[in-house]
Amino acid sequence: MASTDRRKRDYSITGPENQRAQERGLAAAEWYTCPIPRQRMKELMKRKNGPAIRDTLIWFGSLLILGYLAYLSWGTWWAVPAFLAYGILYATPGDSRWHECGHGTAFKTPWMNEVVYQIASFMVLRSATPWRWSHARHHTDTIIVGRDPEIITERPPVWKILLMQIFHLYGGPIELKRFALHTFGKLEEQERDYIPASEHRKVFREARIYMLILLAVVAACIYAGSILPAMFVFFPSFYGGIVVITFGITQHLGLYEDVLDHRLNTRTVYMNPVLRFLYWNMNYHVEHHMFPMVPYHALPKLHEEMKADCPAARRGLFAALKEVITALRKQKHDPAYVVEKPLPATARPYVRGVPQQQDTSLRSEVL
Amino acid sequence: MRTGTWIEACAADAIEAEDVIRFDFEDRTYAIYRTENGDYYATDGYCTHEKIHLSNGLVMGSVIECPKHNGRFDIPTGKAKRAPVCVDLKTYPVKVEAGKVYIQA
Ligand code: FES
């Protein structure tokens, strides 16, 4: 068994781990992919407008209805559940639509992806262009320390971040600070690492538009003499965050870092149709990472194609959360701890990284 | 590498309509396309964003989408059409003769 006193690592992408990952051959490396015949892949990658138009109409229609009920309830105790429901329906699909439309796979028609991407980016307070680039890096170097800017928390975990994210109080203020920075034509140092110079002007323009919208919300609140306008736009990004973080922590936490096989660092979780609607099938997360070309509506079918080559999916959100929280608690004392699921007999072996440089300090538990 | 030489790449019917295949020659890799209306094109095989084979991507009309980050290129011109690709793709002349596809590389 390996040592448990793994040195604390620097997770920033401007620190020494970035260089180390490159030296170890983990940056922009070749990743394992499950064998799927090209013909079948072509069917799975096929784009459609229908499912995303239907889901977008249902989403915005439901938001209007819940928003109206919340408006009627304002001033009574009913406002608490009404706004909570509105906020969850605002932020959760906001996050998943941001994600899918960012990949450009949700709709067949490019401008539809772009329109929903821009709206959803604002709803979840993510600068559209910087996050497009950050997410591209997340796909290139998934959970490679020093390379992936989207690792939710380091090992040992920082519980404060996870708890604050229930109301988006960790990421939200960081994003608002970035909006301000971008509005004045500046970028963070780490953003320079993954956003090419040709995109900088676009970043600044988008931030200025966001700022104008936020100022309009503030003006509406002052005019109305109430925070009610902000309860519909802006505040839901915070008070509606609970399901976003609940889903988000199931994606990679408690699993391996620094491997080149999504079956080891990403989790697929079975969810019911309501949760899958909110999450746009991102519970099929191994599938999404391995084949980002496959649109959300085809992920259940892709899962069927891949499952003989993958560890068993977690049976439900609660099972996944239990696994994550248990792993994080263990990592608090033993940062080297990771969960590893056995592969079925039909699967090809895991690819743990660049062979001669595997990190022997990892201690995994086969569940 | 030879320049301007016509190289036999594959049989014309080895590529389905609206699809792409990989063709390696000497130390280079190419992507050879057949669009829906039966036209053939060739470009560099790797995406200009990262070293990813475009032959695993998706051909939609006259556009190829890269399998890694969904960046897009216009196949006939190689123009970068969607982030994260910003640099155009190099294209190569193609001819089809006697049921074979040739590229001038
Ligand atoms: S590698 Fe092609 S879009 Fe990134």
Side-chain angles (χ1 to χ4, degrees):
Chain A
M1 188 171 298
S3 80
T4 55
D5 62 346
R6 212 178 69 134
R7 269 176 304 136
K8 198 164 161 47
R9 303 177 72 184
D10 179 352
Y11 281 67
S12 75
I13 64 165
T14 49
E17 289 286 352
N18 189 328
Q19 184 61 31
R20 188 165 170 254
Q22 293 183 51
E23 284 162 8
R24 293 168 71 203
L26 293 171
E30 199 174 319
W31 285 68
Y32 174 79
T33 50
C34 296
I36 298 179
R38 170 84 183 153
Q39 205 51 41
R40 183 65 182 133
M41 265 320 283
K42 274 168 59 181
E43 288 163 19
L44 292 167
M45 291 191 289
K46 237 185 170 41
R47 304 298 153 77
K48 295 178 188 169
N49 280 329
I53 289 176
R54 176 201 63 207
D55 290 350
T56 305
L57 290 175
I58 294 173
W59 177 34
F60 283 120
S62 314
L63 262 184
L64 279 177
I65 294 168
L66 274 181
Y68 183 61
L69 291 177
Y71 172 77
L72 293 179
S73 72
W74 189 241
T76 74
W77 281 105
W78 286 108
V80 175
F83 274 99
L84 187 64
Y86 174 84
I88 287 172
L89 193 65
Y90 179 103
T92 316
D95 175 55
S96 57
R97 276 58 177 173
W98 162 82
H99 178 263
E100 291 305 292
C101 295
H103 278 281
T105 52
F107 298 88
K108 183 177 180 182
T109 308
W111 69 260
M112 293 186 190
N113 283 309
E114 196 52 33
V115 167
V116 177
Y117 180 69
Q118 290 291 340
I119 294 170
S121 295
F122 176 78
M123 290 172 85
V124 289
L125 297 182
R126 282 180 203 145
S127 312
T129 296
W131 274 86
R132 201 193 289 280
W133 288 92
S134 138
H135 198 64
R137 175 66 72 80
H138 172 61
H139 271 266
T140 300
D141 297 324
T142 310
I143 318 298
I144 303 290
V145 177
R147 295 287 301 170
D148 183 349
E150 295 186 8
I151 297 179
I152 295 181
T153 179
E154 56 200 57
R155 295 191 336 219
V158 183
W159 287 101
K160 200 174 95 182
I161 294 178
L162 299 174
L163 293 174
M164 285 174 82
Q165 274 304 81
I166 293 174
F167 295 113
H168 201 30
L169 291 174
Y170 182 78
I174 292 176
E175 284 305 316
L176 291 176
K177 234 166 68 193
R178 282 184 187 149
F179 288 175
L181 209 61
H182 299 162
T183 300
F184 289 104
K186 293 196 170 83
L187 288 171
E188 279 182 349
E189 196 193 333
Q190 67 151 357
E191 290 178 318
R192 293 186 184 280
D193 194 67
Y194 54 78
I195 307 173
S198 58
E199 295 279 282
H200 292 179
R201 280 175 59 169
K202 203 160 136 204
V203 173
F204 305 146
R205 193 175 56 234
E206 284 167 357
R208 286 164 193 151
I209 294 171
Y210 287 7
M211 275 303 186
L212 282 177
I213 299 172
L214 290 178
L215 284 176
V217 173
V218 171
C221 288
I222 293 169
Y223 180 75
S226 158
I227 61 162
L228 190 57
M231 290 297 286
F232 289 106
V233 178
F234 184 48
F235 286 169
S237 317
F238 294 91
Y239 72 73
I242 187 162
V243 182
V244 176
I245 185 67
T246 305
F247 285 165
I249 63 171
T250 67
Q251 294 179 350
H252 306 284
L253 287 187
L255 304 176
Y256 277 84
E257 292 167 345
D258 296 350
V259 288
L260 300 177
D261 189 337
H262 293 109
R263 298 172 303 171
L264 281 169
N265 69 6
T266 306
R267 194 180 275 107
T268 281
V269 182
Y270 289 131
M271 289 187 187
N272 67 43
V274 174
L275 296 186
R276 286 201 285 116
F277 170 80
L278 292 174
Y279 203 17
W280 255 10
N281 284 338
M282 269 309 107
N283 51 306
Y284 295 106
H285 215 63
V286 178
E287 291 77 359
H288 165 67
H289 264 277
M290 213 178 271
F291 299 108
M293 300 279 289
V294 174
Y296 78 94
H297 47 80
L299 287 176
K301 286 187 203 135
L302 176 61
H303 171 70
E304 290 306 315
E305 297 293 331
M306 282 172 53
K307 69 182 184 192
D309 198 39
C310 290
R314 281 47 167 186
R315 303 209 78 83
L317 180 60
F318 288 102
L321 288 174
K322 194 171 152 209
E323 179 182 294
V324 171
I325 291 166
T326 307
L328 294 182
R329 288 178 64 182
K330 289 187 181 176
Q331 285 177 352
K332 195 76 196 162
H333 308 287
D334 179 2
Y337 174 84
V338 286
V339 175
E340 181 180 326
K341 295 271 191 200
L343 285 169
T346 45
R348 298 197 290 190
Y350 282 130
V351 176
R352 286 167 200 282
V354 186
Q356 67 279 21
Q357 289 165 332
Q358 282 177 24
D359 186 349
T360 52
S361 71
L362 287 173
R363 189 171 73 77
S364 66
E365 183 170 276
V366 176
L367 298 177
Chain B
M1 197 191 84
R2 285 171 278 178
T3 24
T5 320
W6 285 100
I7 308 158
E8 182 184 325
C10 60
D13 60 5
I15 318 174
E16 289 185 10
E18 218 175 19
D19 205 0
V20 53
I21 63 161
R22 172 178 164 180
F23 170 60
D24 294 337
F25 181 73
E26 294 183 340
D27 56 348
R28 295 187 66 92
T29 183
Y30 304 89
I32 307 193
Y33 310 83
R34 181 175 167 187
T35 58
E36 206 168 18
N37 48 17
D39 295 330
Y40 291 82
Y41 297 96
T43 68
D44 269 342
Y46 288 128
C47 180
T48 57
H49 178 227
E50 284 172 13
K51 207 173 161 193
I52 295 291
H53 282 289
L54 289 169
S55 54
N56 292 323
L58 179 65
V59 177
M60 291 172 283
S62 61
V63 167
I64 172 77
E65 187 172 296
C66 171
K68 188 73 178 178
H69 308 106
N70 313 86
R72 290 184 180 183
F73 299 96
D74 180 56
I75 295 169
T77 61
K79 271 241 156 304
K81 289 192 68 157
R82 181 181 188 275
V85 295
C86 303
V87 177
D88 296 348
L89 201 55
K90 191 164 167 23
T91 58
Y92 300 90
V94 173
K95 67 177 180 185
V96 180
E97 274 177 15
K100 304 246 188 267
V101 181
Y102 296 83
I103 68 167
Q104 194 176 33

